[in-house]
Amino acid sequence: MKKITHKFSNSSVDYYLEAGISHLKKIVDQKNAVIVTDENVFNYHQKRFKGWNTIVLKPGEEFKVQATADTVIEQLIEMEAGRKTTLIGAGGGVITDITGYVASVYMRGIPFGFIPTTLLAMVDASIGGKNGIDIGVYKNMVGVIRQPKFILHDLIFLNTLPQNEWENGFSEIIKHACIKDAAMFRELEANSIKTYRKRKKSVCELIQRNADLKTRVVKQDEFEKGERKLLNFGHTLGHALENMYELSHGQAISIGMTYASVISEKITGFKEAERVAKLLLQYNLPTFSAFDRKKVFDVLKMDKKREKNEINYVLLDKIGKGVVKAIPLSQLENIISNL
Ligand SMILES: NC(=O)c1ccc[n+]([C@@H]2O[C@H](COP(=O)([O-])OP(=O)(O)OC[C@H]3O[C@@H](n4cnc5c(N)ncnc54)[C@H](O)[C@@H]3O)[C@@H](O)[C@H]2O)c1
Ligand SMILES: [Zn+2]
């Protein structure tokens, strides 16, 4: 096991990498902890949660809503959870987002930690302290930025991860490569989900490389004034598509990245949109798609990245170098209707 402590602006987070869930007992007092998970994770891995207090939620993005947060809070009250209780989110991004959110508001804030169980949550959702819920079609509209006390990786969870969830995780990995890491982009081009899944060691290295990349970006800019915005590559259009079309998060941002690359060709002079789309296809992700340009623009303009009449859009200068450009809404409407 590796333990790395990362310092953020006003807290520090312990990363336990290549660890086992059995190590959890050494990190928190079992009697004073509650694990929040979902039915899929719980059913596959029940024996790993033996001896722990658990709250088991229904799986899926449609449950990442205030009503679910309320039921968690009610159960915490019933369990007599107090200020010293640690809440542990063991699951994918839906579970880590809800757990961090509830822990931030329950009794004005209790400590929390994460055991990400999807590839996507390991490389992305569990890192950076953004926690929240969806409101109707508006993704992550309500939430907080608050860091967990710890993140524990136990790669054994990935043994039960379905193929489509591997694809979702690779979508964020490709995002990281596009905005920050040209060498990783080339490594991904030379591989596939199949080759990675065959070699535990390369999956493990890839996860740590991505967790590290995201952590470095967030540490530089925890409250998203600049650098952190790059992590939204593919997400402006992606979020608008996600709930409107019942796409998974990974699929939606894959389409978002495809079009952000095309828009980059118009605005920054980027020349490799085809190459980005080819890599996404190689990981079984959707690229160019039919969607209602007008409806999507109407949702997109409510994006949190909007400032007055401009949207901060993440584009690529080249592979491995993302840039944020403020695009006036009128120009963006025109671009999107002509995509
Ligand atoms: N907070 C952030 O910074 C951040 C970043 C990226 C994504 N997110 C959020 O994360 C969510 C997407 O994350 P996700 O794809 O992990 O979603 P998820 O939590 O819905 O998990 C995907 C599916 O995999 C199942 N699952 C989880 N672990 C499993 C395992 N080990 N074996 C078998 N099945 C398992 C889940 O039950 C679910 O059906 C979105 O809500 C997105 O907004 C947040
Ligand atoms: Zn994402």
Side-chain angles (χ1 to χ4, degrees), residues 5-159:
T5 302
H6 286 285
K7 294 232 180 314
F8 291 82
S9 351
N10 42 28
S11 61
S12 65
V13 185
D14 295 326
Y15 288 44
Y16 299 92
L17 303 170
E18 299 167 40
I21 190 176
S22 52
H23 191 76
L24 195 58
K25 278 191 197 140
K26 297 192 189 124
I27 308 175
V28 292
D29 171 15
Q30 197 170 26
K31 290 192 295 305
N32 249 328
V34 178
I35 293 183
V36 179
T37 186
D38 73 23
E39 285 170 359
N40 292 334
V41 179
F42 189 73
N43 291 340
Y44 279 123
H45 300 276
Q46 203 153 359
K47 63 171 192 276
R48 301 185 211 289
F49 299 114
K50 225 173 145 201
W52 293 90
N53 302 308
T54 48
I55 295 177
V56 182
L57 304 177
K58 292 217 173 326
E61 183 74 28
E62 66 268 39
F63 296 102
K64 201 175 106 175
V65 292
Q66 186 62 44
T68 309
D70 290 344
T71 65
V72 175
I73 290 168
E74 278 157 21
Q75 289 181 70
L76 288 173
I77 295 171
E78 221 163 90
M79 289 169 157
E80 298 182 11
R83 280 252 164 86
K84 295 240 156 63
T85 303
T86 301
L87 211 55
I88 302 157
V94 167
I95 291 298
T96 55
D97 277 11
I98 292 188
T99 303
Y101 171 61
V102 169
S104 301
V105 292
Y106 184 69
M107 296 193 163
R108 299 199 188 88
I110 61 172
F112 63 102
F114 293 145
I115 304 175
T117 64
T118 61
L119 179 63
L120 187 144
M122 288 179 189
V123 300
D124 189 355
S126 65
I127 300 165
K130 282 192 187 174
N131 311 288
I133 51 162
D134 305 331
I135 306 288
V137 294
Y138 303 111
K139 287 270 306 162
N140 305 326
M141 192 52 128
V142 168
V144 297
I145 295 187
R146 190 164 175 263
Q147 299 298 337
K149 290 267 175 271
F150 67 86
I151 296 171
L152 185 148
H153 282 186
D154 183 347
L155 268 46
I156 201 124
F157 284 104
L158 297 181
N159 290 348

Side-chain angles (χ1 to χ4, degrees), residues 234-245:
H235 282 59
T236 306
L237 183 65
H239 275 165
L241 292 168
E242 186 167 346
N243 287 1
M244 277 177 68
Y245 289 101

